[in-house]
Each structure stands twice: as C-alpha cells, then as structure tokens.
C-alpha cells in the first residue's frame, strides 16, 4: 500500500530533532514490520510501579504503533503479545494480560474500523480463557471485510510449536494420500504456518535492548532485517518507529545473492 502523504506529514508534523520524515524513502517502505514488544516490566519497576502498570502503558504504545503502521502504508503489522512460555509468569500477571488483550481489542475496534484494519491472530487460541477467545472471534468477524492493513497479534504463540504443528499436518496428509512426500517444499510448509498467506516480515524491531528471538517467527524471519533499540516498549513512539524504518532503508538486502548496482 502507498502511504497517504498528506496524512503522514500531518502525523509527523513535529520533528524531535534527530530524525525527520524527509529521511524516509516513501517508495521503499517495508511491506511487513513485526515487533517484539519488550520492557513493560522494567518500565514500571523503574518508576516504582507494579509490573501491571507497564502492560497498561504498553497498550498506549501499541495503539500508536498500529496508527504509525497504517500511516506508513504497511500491508502487515505484527506483534508478539504473549508467548507459549509466558504462561510461566505469576498467575496474576497472566490473568491481567488476558484481560488486557480482551478489553483492548474491544476498545480499539473503532480504530480498526476507521483505519480499515483487518485483524488476524497467530498462535494457539484454544488455551486462552473463554472471554478472551470470544472477544478475539468478534474482532475477527467485525474486521473480516476490511481491505487495509492486516494487524496480526501473536498470542500463545511459539515458533517451534508452530513448525511442529505444520509438520504434523503434512505428515497426516502424506499418510492419508492427499499429498506426495516429494511435493513437500518451502511453500507447502509456509502454507501451514499461522502466517499462511502473509508476506514474511521485512523488518523486525525488538525493544529494550535484548538480542534474542525468543521463539518468534523462526521460519518467517529467514531474511528479515533486525533492529534493536534500548527504548522500553511503553516509551516506543512514532519517532522511534521512524528511526527503525529509516535504518532499515539504509541496509542492503541481498537475500543471499550479491548487491545489484
Ligand atoms: C513484554 O514486557 C511485554 C509482554 C509480555 C506483553 C505485551 C503486552 C502488551 C504490550 C499489552 C498490550 C497488548 C495487547 C495485544 C493488547 P515484559 O513484561 O517482558 O517486560 P520486562 O522484560 O521488562 O519484564
């Protein structure tokens, strides 16, 4: 999608100094940006607050990131909201996150309608609390006809489990004669991942300075450019996002080949 330049200029009307919209090449905006939102707990602890307050502040940062993604004209924006390993957190924190996911989704439906955003979930939703699942389904139903950016939320997502699930489904199809083993190629695997039909991320951003993938989109990130910032997720704003995209545009992507002049 091409960005609406007028809206983008208004959105970025106040420059904070070290980055400007003029540095952005509007013809080379990534199609898919994915973010590992990290640092909510540290943000809260640094302020003497309960970790839950960090997650609540993280919702505001996420709302801004969705809007920025739309303004930039992305086709897909995805975020890692809850991993298969996050169940190990204290029950109180897990409960709060599940509650936040559900309430945020309901609260943000008007934004999704206004911006023509289509929702999608990545992960095993079966294990989620009933209310969260019901609200997620409502979000899917109400945005199904939207034709703008896809906003993909990874919830109860783990990449190894996703790949194992795809392998199981392929094995079953081969066993029952629907698929020939010699036809199993990268496309067949991709089509059985939660991200089926979506382009792979061009840019992965991780906040809070951690240099890990944390079991996120291991297959899909094969040729993705990484950008890590020390900014904690609740502080991540449209300017941080712009810095990341400008940095991405300064990279030379070769996909294993050579630079073409
Ligand atoms: C990482 O911070 C953040 C999460 C595990 C959850 C992300 C959730 C939100 C941003 C809330 C809103 C999300 C939606 C989808 C409505 P952390 O707790 O790992 O922080 P720490 O590393 O500093 O402890």
């Amino acid at each position: 999608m091409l960005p609406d330049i007028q809206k983008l200029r208004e959105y970025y009307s106040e420059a904070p100094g070290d980055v400007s919209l003029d540095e952005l090449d509007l013809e080379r905006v990534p199609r898919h940006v994915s973010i590992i939102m990290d640092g909510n707990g540290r943000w809260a602890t640094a302020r003497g607050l309960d970790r839950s307050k960090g997650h609540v502040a993280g919702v505001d940062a996420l709302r801004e990131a969705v809007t920025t993604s739309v303004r930039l004209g992305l086709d897909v924006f995805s975020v890692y909201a809850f991993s298969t390993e996050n169940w190990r957190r204290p029950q109180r924190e897990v409960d709060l996150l599940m509650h936040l996911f559900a309430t945020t989704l309901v609260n943000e439906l008007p934004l999704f309608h206004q911006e023509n955003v289509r929702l999608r979930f990545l992960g095993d939703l079966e294990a989620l609390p009933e209310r969260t699942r019901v609200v997620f389904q409502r979000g899917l139903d109400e945005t199904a006809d939207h034709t703008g950016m896809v906003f993909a939320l990874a919830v109860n997502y783990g990449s190894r489990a996703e790949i194992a699930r795809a392998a199981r489904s392929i094995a079953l199809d081969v066993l029952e004669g629907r698929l020939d083993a010699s036809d199993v190629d990268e496309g067949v695997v991709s089509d059985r991942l939660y991200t089926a039909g979506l382009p792979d991320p061009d840019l992965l951003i991780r906040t809070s300075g951690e240099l890990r993938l944390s079991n996120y989109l291991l297959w899909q990130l094969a040729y993705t450019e990484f950008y890590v910032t020390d900014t904690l997720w609740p502080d991540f704003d449209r300017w941080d996002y712009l810095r990341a995209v400008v940095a991405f545009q300064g990279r030379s992507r070769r996909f294993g080949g050579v630079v073409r002049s």
Side-chain angles (χ1 to χ4, degrees), residues 37-42 51 55 58-59 62 81 86 89 93 97 100-101 104 153 233:
M37 309 178 287
D38 198 8
N40 292 349
R42 274 163 285 168
R51 290 175 57 81
H55 296 314
V59 173
L62 182 57
N86 284 151
R89 294 190 174 207
E93 185 169 340
L97 282 169
L100 260 189
F101 297 156
T104 303
L153 265 168
W233 176 249

Side-chain angles (χ1 to χ4, degrees), residues 160-199:
R160 288 183 172 181
E162 175 188 41
I163 293 168
R165 175 178 172 270
R168 262 194 318 277
S169 128
I170 291 169
L172 208 63
D173 278 359
V174 170
L175 198 69
E176 294 177 359
R178 289 185 293 271
L179 184 66
D180 200 300
S182 60
D183 289 333
V184 178
D185 58 12
E186 293 181 13
V188 169
V189 177
S190 290
D191 286 347
R192 288 160 202 254
L193 300 177
Y194 291 120
T195 47
L198 300 178

